[in-house]
Amino acid sequence: MKKQASLDRRIQSLFPVVLASFLILGTARFIFDNLKKNQSHVFRQYQFPEGRRHRVPINVSEDEGIEEGCNVFEGKWVWDNVSYPLYTEDSCPFLVKQVTCLRNGRPDSLYQNWRWQPHGCNLPRFDPLKLLEILRDRTLMFIGDSIQRGQFESMVCLVQSIIPDGKKSLHRIPPMKIFKVEDFNVTIVYYWAPFIVESNSDHATNHTVLKRLVNLDAIAKHGKQWKGVDLLVFESYVWWMYKPVINATFGSPYNVQEYNVTTAYRLALQTWANWMESNINPQTQKVFFMGMSPTHLWSWEWKTGSNENCFNESSPIQGPYWGTGSNLDIMEIVRDVLQGLKIDVTLLNITQLSEFRKDAHTSVYTERKGKLLTKEQKSNPKTFADCIHWCLPGVPDTWNEILYAYLLQNYKNSLSMVEQS
């Protein structure tokens, strides 16, 4: 009885404390809601579109971002085995076998130690914490083919190292891969759409380049997944280039015709452009378009008299170089369509800087049809070397460093606008 009475007294003595706590919490919530309702200076200062708040202001120095007059796409690759790579295969559990070249038997890692140096200016050092703060409460989506999937995986690897276990996750929901960062409410998505417009290759796993059929004026199915996404990064090139002509429909889904690839590409990109103008809100969304990812299928282009490919290459090309794997007509179409848009889309013209990197492809240290190359296949690089996709860590990390520089610059500009208002 005494013990029960003593317990009752302790419970009664705690009651005022608990009640006071609820009153304090309730008062704090009331003040918080009123501040938000009245659009206080604190909320206005760090507010993003549609009520998103930037919880921790980023300290961005003057030399971060992109310097005025700097063309980050013109420069050279410099050897840097001190600060590169920015991560390792072993440190990133989210890489697929297709890109883990060292794990797949590549004897050298030299391709990981090259840094892109623009002429007359510098790229800001990639800072995953700053990027996650910029992306807080936002979604970044990469749209395209397996080249774009490599850029998505690169971005995941670049940011995931600072996130504790249990606070990050990767889910595969075809045609998407979705990486979530819990504490920042950040979502990074990859969306499989090799032609951007609809095609018979839109299934995430059951697709073939051999029987391509593209619906040049159909995009609504994909567009449903892009609506309202804060940051969109598009890419589409390699799947178009299998042959000079491609089967496609335009106007009627039943009228299949053979189109010249450049004609089909222009029609498809115009369909995309029309969708963008009708569905993108430039006040709340940012859109990027990646330049062509070059191939290195024929070594005679950089080594006169040879008859190989990218296999066994261990250093970048020095000096001017433009391979036949990069189609100038396609590049001109991209520029024409982007310039004609009524909304702003940023072209990340990574083609030339990637052209130099004949050494950085997955070559024979990769998989085909879901299986690693056999010993016999590896011994026949002229047939089996993959000179299209890139090892990770590697060249796609540089693409993301440039994307980061643009996002950082956009953030600085938004802060300036807030201060001026």
Side-chain angles (χ1 to χ4, degrees), residues 17-47:
V17 177
V18 174
L19 180 61
S21 299
F22 277 111
L23 287 172
I24 292 170
L25 288 171
T27 303
R29 181 58 186 268
F30 176 81
I31 295 171
F32 181 89
D33 289 342
N34 273 277
L35 281 172
K36 193 156 95 173
K37 181 179 179 180
N38 295 325
Q39 292 291 289
S40 74
H41 171 72
V42 173
F43 277 88
R44 287 199 305 271
Q45 186 174 3
Y46 301 118
Q47 191 177 46

Side-chain angles (χ1 to χ4, degrees), residues 2 4-14:
K2 288 182 179 181
Q4 182 63 44
S6 175
L7 181 61
D8 290 343
R9 282 194 299 273
R10 282 202 296 269
I11 293 173
Q12 289 172 2
S13 66
L14 286 173

Side-chain angles (χ1 to χ4, degrees), residues 109-361:
S109 61
L110 301 176
Y111 64 92
Q112 299 183 358
N113 300 120
W114 294 93
R115 172 172 54 83
W116 178 248
Q117 178 61 58
H119 294 317
C121 57
N122 296 305
L123 283 174
R125 176 73 176 177
F126 189 92
D127 187 325
L129 182 58
K130 284 184 179 178
L131 179 61
L132 287 174
E133 283 293 352
I134 290 171
L135 297 179
R136 186 185 284 275
D137 299 325
R138 289 176 155 192
T139 296
L140 167 63
M141 180 180 282
F142 294 91
I143 299 119
D145 55 29
S146 53
I147 299 294
Q148 191 74 328
R149 184 176 63 223
Q151 187 174 0
F152 160 80
E153 290 181 1
S154 162
M155 181 61 83
V156 169
C157 289
L158 285 167
V159 302
Q160 67 87 33
S161 62
I162 65 167
I163 308 164
D165 292 339
K167 299 293 185 178
K168 55 190 173 185
S169 62
L170 180 66
H171 299 286
R172 189 169 180 272
I173 307 174
M176 291 184 285
K177 283 188 172 184
I178 303 170
F179 180 73
K180 286 188 172 289
V181 184
E182 184 178 315
D183 289 342
F184 293 82
N185 191 27
V186 167
T187 306
I188 303 175
V189 181
Y190 164 67
Y191 183 93
W192 169 264
F195 295 100
I196 294 184
V197 292
E198 296 170 26
S199 74
N200 66 344
S201 302
D202 288 339
H203 192 281
T205 55
N206 185 20
H207 51 250
T208 174
V209 74
L210 301 177
K211 298 178 181 179
R212 300 166 302 166
L213 177 59
V214 184
N215 304 328
L216 299 174
D217 57 346
I219 200 169
K221 183 181 70 175
H222 295 326
K224 288 178 183 179
Q225 305 298 327
W226 308 339
K227 278 191 175 182
V229 174
D230 305 280
L231 296 155
L232 294 158
V233 185
F234 290 92
E235 175 271 341
S236 183
Y237 174 62
V238 171
W239 273 67
W240 292 91
M241 306 310 295
Y242 179 64
K243 288 181 179 179
V245 294
I246 189 169
N247 288 328
T249 64
F250 188 83
S252 168
Y254 308 106
N255 184 17
V256 179
Q257 295 185 30
E258 198 174 69
Y259 284 78
N260 181 282
V261 160
T262 52
T263 301
Y265 192 89
R266 185 179 290 276
L267 289 170
L269 215 59
Q270 193 57 58
T271 296
W272 169 82
N274 294 340
W275 186 92
M276 298 291 289
E277 290 182 345
S278 300
N279 293 277
I280 293 296
N281 182 348
Q283 302 301 316
T284 60
Q285 296 171 280
K286 294 289 183 184
V287 183
F288 297 88
F289 198 99
M290 301 300 299
M292 299 176 297
S293 174
T295 62
H296 292 87
L297 303 173
W298 304 283
S299 63
W300 55 262
E301 294 186 339
W302 62 83
K303 192 189 305 178
T304 304
S306 63
N307 188 29
E308 304 294 333
N309 51 35
C310 69
F311 173 70
N312 221 23
E313 295 288 351
S314 58
S315 60
I317 297 169
Q318 302 297 328
Y321 173 77
W322 190 269
T324 57
S326 296
N327 189 300
L328 289 170
D329 291 335
I330 294 293
M331 180 174 281
E332 186 177 352
I333 291 169
V334 170
R335 285 176 174 157
D336 287 348
V337 172
L338 295 191
Q339 287 173 2
L341 274 170
K342 296 176 184 177
I343 62 171
D344 186 30
V345 174
T346 302
L347 174 64
L348 299 185
N349 189 9
I350 51 83
T351 307
Q352 178 65 85
L353 68 89
S354 306
E355 281 275 14
F356 299 127
R357 296 306 306 276
K358 61 180 171 58
D359 59 307
H361 291 287

Side-chain angles (χ1 to χ4, degrees), residues 24-82:
I24 292 170
L25 288 171
T27 303
R29 181 58 186 268
F30 176 81
I31 295 171
F32 181 89
D33 289 342
N34 273 277
L35 281 172
K36 193 156 95 173
K37 181 179 179 180
N38 295 325
Q39 292 291 289
S40 74
H41 171 72
V42 173
F43 277 88
R44 287 199 305 271
Q45 186 174 3
Y46 301 118
Q47 191 177 46
F48 272 95
E50 298 182 351
R52 294 188 173 100
R53 291 185 297 107
H54 200 73
R55 300 178 193 172
V56 182
I58 301 172
N59 181 22
V60 183
S61 62
E62 287 295 323
D63 60 347
E64 289 186 285
I66 300 173
E67 299 172 27
E68 188 174 350
C70 172
N71 184 347
V72 296
F73 306 108
E74 293 183 358
K76 62 180 180 180
W77 290 96
V78 297
W79 177 253
D80 184 350
N81 63 349
V82 176

